[in-house]
Amino acid sequence: MSNPYLCSVLETVKRRYPGESEFHQAVTEVLESLVPVIERNKDLQEAAILERIVEPERQIIFRVPWVDDKGKVQVNRGMRIEYNSALGPYKGGLRFHPSVNTSIIKFLGFEQIFKNSLTGLMMGGGKGGADFDPKGKSDNEVMRFCQSFMTELQRHIDADTDVPAGDIGVGAREIGYMFGQYRRIRNVWHGVLTGKGLDYGGSLVRTEATGYGCVYFCDEMLKDKKTSFEGKTVVISGSGNVAIYAVEKAQQLGGKVVALSDSNGYIYDPDGIKLDIVKRLKEVERKRIGEYVKEVKTAKYTEGKGIWTIPCDIALPCATQNELDGNDAKTLVKNGVIAVAEGANMPSTPDAVKVFLEAKTSFGPGKAANAGGVATSGLEMAQNSQRLAWSFEEVDRKLHAIMVNIHDSAKAAAEEYGTPGNLVNGANIAGFVKVANVMKSNGVI
Ligand code: GLU
C-alpha cells in the first residue's frame, strides 16, 4: 500500500489482533481502495476516521452451554461484534459454523459496515455467531442451543440497538427458536431479528433476497457489456439459501445453471440444474448436494473442490470466504468467463480478485453484489415498525431498485476516484464516504 498513513492504520490492526488473517484481509482490501479518498480529503486523517472505523465499537464474547440428546453438557463460544452504529442500529447476521472465531466475525462485521451503507438504508454494521455446527443435530438440540445462545444475547440487542439475522447455519428454524426465546425473556414483541417466518413479522422476498440480489447486480454488470443472462452458462458454488435463489433468478432470466456444490464436492448437470429437486433435498430433507445424482441420472458428482474448472460465461461464488483462489480465477478466465458476482462474503482471495480485474472480467465484490439480503432485512425492519406487510411484488421492486442503485454508485465512485470499471474500489469508496461523513459530523465518539 502506497500511503504511509493507511499503512500505519493496518499495522495497528495487525498488532492489536495478531493472527486474525481473514480480518486483516478484509481491512487491507478496503484500505487499499481508500488511498485516493484519503489523499483528496485530509480532514479524514485529522479526525482519525480510519483509526476509529477499523476498531469495533463493542465486542461481546460469551459461553453457550446446552445439553445434547444423550444428556451430555456441551459448551460453545458465542459472540456478537457491534462494529459501527454511525448509520443506524448494528445490523448483520449470525453464523453458526465450526469455523467461527473472532477473525471471521470481525471480517464479516467490518464488511457489513460498508455493505449496509451501500444499501442506502439506515443500518450500522455488526455480525455474530457461534462455533456450533447445526449439521447432524436434532431439531431439539438446535432449539436448546438457540435458546441458550439467546439467553445471553438478548441483554445486548433490541429493535433500535442491534438487529441480528441469519447467515451460514442460521435459517428460518434457528431464527424462529431465537425469536421465541427473546420474546419470552424480554416480554416484548418487536422486530429484533430479521429473516423471521412470514406468520410472525417476516418479509416476503427475504428468503430469496441475497440470491436474487446477486443476480440483479450481475445483470447490471452484463448490461454494461451490452449483454444479459439469456443463453449464458452459469456456475454457482454452494447450495444453501444464497445459491438456491441465485439459481432461481438466473434461470428466470434465461441462464442455464449447470453446477452447484457443498463442502464435500460438486454436481454437474449439463442439462441444467432441476431446482425443485435441489430445494427438496436442501430445504426439506437437509441432505448433501451429492444426493442429487441419485435422482438425475445425467448429472455427475465429483468429490472435493474443482467446481471452477467447469467452463462457464458467468460464475457466482455463493458458498463461503476464500473458496475461489488465484488458480481458480485463471482457469475461469482461460475458459472465457465474462462476469463474476459474489453471493458469499469475500469468496475470492486477493489473488483471484487481481486476476479478474487484470483480465477485465466484470467483477462484483460481495459487499455490493450480496447486499440484497441485508437490504431486504432493512425492508423487513421498516414493515415491522409500520406493523404492515408489503406484497411480494413491492418488496421485489424495492430490492431490484436498491441493487441497481448499488451498482451505479459503485461504478460512479470508481470513475470519480480514477479506477473506472473497478467495482471493488467503487463499492469500498461509496460505502465508506457516507459512514465517514456521519462520523465526522457526530464528533469524536
Ligand atoms: N448474513 C447476511 C449478510 O451477510 C444478511 C445480514 C442481515 O440480513 O442482517 O449480509
Side-chain angles (χ1 to χ4, degrees):
M1 205 176 339
S2 55
N3 182 296
Y5 165 55
L6 292 174
C7 283
S8 80
V9 172
L10 184 59
E11 282 319 306
T12 304
V13 168
K14 289 185 176 166
R15 183 173 40 77
R16 200 174 272 159
Y17 300 106
E20 300 199 340
S21 59
E22 294 86 0
F23 177 47
H24 300 169
Q25 184 183 333
V27 173
T28 304
E29 186 208 276
V30 170
L31 295 184
E32 275 170 355
S33 295
L34 294 180
V35 171
V37 184
I38 296 304
E39 286 172 357
R40 215 182 277 182
N41 304 282
K42 295 288 173 211
D43 54 330
L44 292 172
Q45 191 169 343
E46 278 150 33
I49 296 295
L50 271 304
E51 290 90 329
R52 287 194 271 151
I53 213 168
V54 296
E55 182 63 17
E57 288 176 14
R58 194 173 297 107
Q59 306 186 49
I60 302 147
I61 300 182
F62 51 94
R63 179 171 68 200
V64 188
W66 57 283
V67 182
D68 69 18
D69 284 348
K70 295 196 186 85
K72 188 170 179 310
V73 178
Q74 302 282 349
V75 178
N76 286 96
R77 170 180 262 204
M79 61 188 80
R80 183 76 181 163
I81 311 256
E82 298 182 331
Y83 220 117
N84 190 298
S85 58
L87 296 187
Y90 307 105
K91 184 82 196 85
L94 296 170
R95 177 176 291 192
F96 291 168
H97 191 270
S99 66
V100 162
N101 56 32
T102 50
S103 173
I104 298 219
I105 298 302
K106 276 219 284 301
F107 115 66
L108 291 164
F110 184 69
E111 297 258 303
Q112 203 83 44
I113 305 170
F114 309 101
K115 185 195 305 195
N116 295 2
S117 164
L118 283 168
T119 67
L121 303 172
M122 301 314 292
M123 297 183 290
K127 202 84 184 192
D131 58 355
F132 169 78
D133 191 357
K135 228 179 280 152
K137 304 284 190 301
S138 70
D139 284 349
N140 274 326
E141 288 178 320
V142 170
M143 180 178 76
R144 287 195 293 274
F145 176 82
C146 288
Q147 290 179 339
S148 180
F149 184 87
M150 185 52 85
T151 300
E152 173 60 30
L153 187 66
Q154 57 83 23
R155 71 185 83 245
H156 306 289
I157 63 175
D158 203 275
D160 293 316
T161 306
D162 183 354
V163 183
D167 195 83
I168 294 172
V170 178
R173 174 181 61 172
E174 290 75 16
I175 292 290
Y177 293 147
M178 287 192 277
F179 189 76
Q181 185 74 347
Y182 181 89
R183 191 160 55 76
R184 183 182 189 197
I185 296 176
R186 295 282 289 264
N187 195 26
V188 286
W189 197 113
H190 55 203
V192 69
L193 296 173
T194 60
K196 299 184 290 299
L198 294 177
D199 296 329
Y200 63 98
S203 173
L204 287 161
V205 197
R206 178 61 190 87
T207 307
E208 295 85 351
T210 314
Y212 277 22
C214 179
V215 171
Y216 290 150
F217 190 94
C218 192
D219 201 33
E220 293 306 300
M221 304 197 308
L222 294 170
K223 274 187 201 152
D224 278 344
K225 286 204 144 121
K226 308 255 175 299
T227 185
S228 72
F229 269 89
E230 189 64 49
K232 299 288 190 302
T233 300
V234 187
V235 167
I236 300 181
S237 63
S239 48
N241 167 264
V242 180
I244 286 174
Y245 291 95
V247 175
E248 185 163 286
K249 187 51 74 179
Q251 290 180 339
Q252 285 172 10
L253 297 185
K256 183 178 180 191
V257 183
V258 296
L260 282 173
S261 64
D262 61 21
S263 51
N264 294 85
Y266 65 93
I267 54 163
Y268 173 61
D269 186 345
D271 301 329
I273 296 286
K274 279 109 201 125
L275 193 56
D276 50 338
I277 297 180
V278 174
K279 280 189 180 174
R280 174 168 46 74
L281 288 174
K282 298 300 298 184
E283 293 181 336
V284 184
E285 297 168 5
R286 295 182 189 276
K287 286 192 175 148
R288 305 302 289 166
I289 197 66
E291 300 283 318
Y292 181 88
V293 300
K294 290 191 184 146
E295 307 195 25
V296 182
K297 297 294 174 205
T298 49
K300 203 175 126 219
Y301 175 68
T302 310
E303 281 278 330
K305 294 178 187 282
I307 188 168
W308 306 119
T309 60
I310 300 169
C312 61
D313 305 303
I314 297 167
L316 306 177
C318 296
T320 194
Q321 67 272 357
N322 293 328
E323 54 158 308
L324 193 165
D325 66 18
N327 286 331
D328 297 325
K330 281 183 197 149
T331 307
L332 283 164
V333 168
K334 187 160 61 63
N335 288 336
V337 74
I338 58 169
V340 178
E342 297 185 325
N345 289 309
M346 208 170 73
S348 310
T349 65
D351 284 348
V353 176
K354 212 162 144 235
V355 171
F356 292 135
L357 293 177
E358 277 171 12
K360 300 268 178 262
T361 306
S362 295
F363 179 73
K367 62 172 81 65
N370 75 33
V374 75
T376 308
S377 279
L379 301 177
E380 181 172 330
M381 290 164 75
Q383 293 169 77
N384 289 165
S385 300
Q386 286 184 313
R387 298 195 189 277
L388 288 174
W390 305 336
S391 69
F392 189 96
E393 291 67 29
E394 185 171 359
V395 182
D396 192 36
R397 201 175 341 103
K398 287 189 161 76
L399 167 64
H400 186 258
I402 289 170
M403 297 315 296
V404 171
N405 187 45
I406 294 175
H407 172 268
D408 293 351
S409 35
K411 189 176 155 189
E415 270 163 31
E416 189 186 338
Y417 284 92
T419 49
N422 183 331
L423 298 178
V424 176
N425 286 344
N428 287 334
I429 294 170
F432 169 78
V433 166
K434 211 168 137 192
V435 181
N437 286 339
V438 174
M439 287 176 73
K440 265 192 304 179
S441 58
N442 283 183
V444 178
I445 55 167

